[in-house]
Amino acid sequence: MQVVIDGPAGAGKSTVARRLADRLDAFYLDTGAMYRACTLRALRMGVDLDDSKVLAEVVDGAKIELLPAGEAGQCRVHLDGEDVSAEIRTREVTTAIRHLANCPEVRQRLVAQQRALAERTPGHVVAEGRDLASVVFPDAAVKVYLDASVEERARRRRADHGDQTPLDELQREISERDLSDQSRAVGPLVRVPEATYIDCSDMTIDEVVEQLAALVEAAGE
Ligand code: DC
């Protein structure tokens, strides 16, 4: 069974997807980590981030591995054999991502890799990203759009990452990323009509995970 969770940055997709995957003994597919790893590779190579042909080569040459790492379900991300789990979350990578996320040649390649990963997985897959229900896995058994207010997403980012950036600046950054995610020509963040919409602004992680588990159970019947 494929369970896909789309939604804007900071809504809590990773946390709930990881928890759900743990519970279902499923493979957790963090598609954002793949865009992040390729962005890191491009930055390290010092290539022109506006050259789509070169970016396609960066992706073609990248070896990205998403490895489950023990009990807590925290997956590790390896790029060309190196553990880059922390480095792909830096501000530098986050601000540069849009160059790759907006590039059709990059998206086409990463979508193919995401489908191949899911096909190779013998059990369930819990995947999270932006274009999963609309583009990558349109036949997924469970589709969820996880949302939260910009204010709440900024607060969570501050609490989770110990980010000392002022709240209003964080909110502005998140709003900019929302706009960039929603307005790209290929693979934008969209809420497909059949997805279950969950606004988790006032929900706990446990409550969201319970709701997701109920959807999975209903889909399995
Ligand atoms: O989920 P995240 O914040 O780690 O994702 C990082 C960026 O990658 C996000 O700004 C948009 C992009 N992304 C994407 O374009 N498509 C996906 N399926 C997942 C992420």
Side-chain angles (χ1 to χ4, degrees):
M1 182 189 289
Q2 289 169 349
V3 179
V4 300
I5 307 171
D6 291 305
K13 299 186 299 293
S14 314
T15 309
V16 297
R18 243 188 263 126
R19 291 261 196 106
L20 184 71
D22 211 25
R23 187 158 156 169
L24 301 175
D25 205 12
F27 174 62
Y28 165 51
L29 176 51
D30 178 355
T31 62
M34 299 172 79
Y35 286 89
R36 288 177 179 278
C38 290
T39 302
L40 176 63
R41 192 166 197 266
L43 288 172
R44 283 179 172 179
M45 290 168 73
V47 299
D48 177 359
L49 295 179
D50 292 315
D51 186 333
S52 55
K53 192 163 165 279
V54 173
L55 291 182
E57 286 167 14
V58 170
V59 177
D60 285 339
K63 183 175 176 228
I64 305 167
E65 292 165 286
L66 304 177
L67 308 168
E71 296 281 290
Q74 293 276 3
C75 94
R76 308 298 299 173
V77 181
H78 284 202
L79 171 65
D80 303 329
E82 177 193 343
D83 187 339
V84 293
S85 312
E87 215 178 326
I88 58 167
R89 312 273 164 204
T90 58
R91 223 191 174 94
E92 192 195 2
V93 170
T94 303
T95 37
I97 277 187
R98 66 187 163 80
H99 295 275
L100 283 89
N102 292 348
C103 173
E105 288 82 355
V106 168
R107 297 203 74 87
Q108 183 200 359
R109 284 162 171 79
L110 289 183
V111 167
Q113 286 190 27
Q114 289 154 17
R115 288 181 182 146
L117 268 171
E119 256 163 48
R120 279 205 303 272
T121 303
H124 301 315
V125 175
V126 177
E128 53 119 338
R130 304 293 189 287
D131 58 341
L132 303 189
S134 54
V135 176
V136 189
F137 302 116
D139 298 326
V142 177
K143 298 177 177 182
V144 171
Y145 189 94
L146 190 65
D147 206 356
S149 68
V150 175
E151 294 79 10
E152 181 58 25
R153 289 188 278 138
R155 267 197 296 276
R156 287 180 190 174
R157 188 154 124 196
R158 224 155 175 246
D160 294 350
H161 301 277
D163 201 325
Q164 291 311 309
T165 316
L167 259 188
D168 57 346
E169 201 178 314
L170 275 180
Q171 283 184 23
R172 193 176 42 75
E173 276 179 27
I174 289 176
S175 299
E176 276 170 18
R177 203 134 74 92
D178 285 354
L179 189 67
S180 165
D181 279 347
Q182 287 160 357
S183 59
R184 72 174 137 261
V186 183
L189 168 64
V190 283
R191 182 179 151 194
V192 298
E194 67 273 25
T196 302
Y197 179 78
I198 303 177
D199 182 338
C200 66
S201 304
D202 298 317
M203 291 170 78
T204 64
I205 293 167
D206 284 345
E207 285 170 341
V208 181
V209 174
E210 285 308 321
Q211 191 171 344
L212 295 180
L215 289 171
V216 170
E217 202 176 318
E221 281 165 1

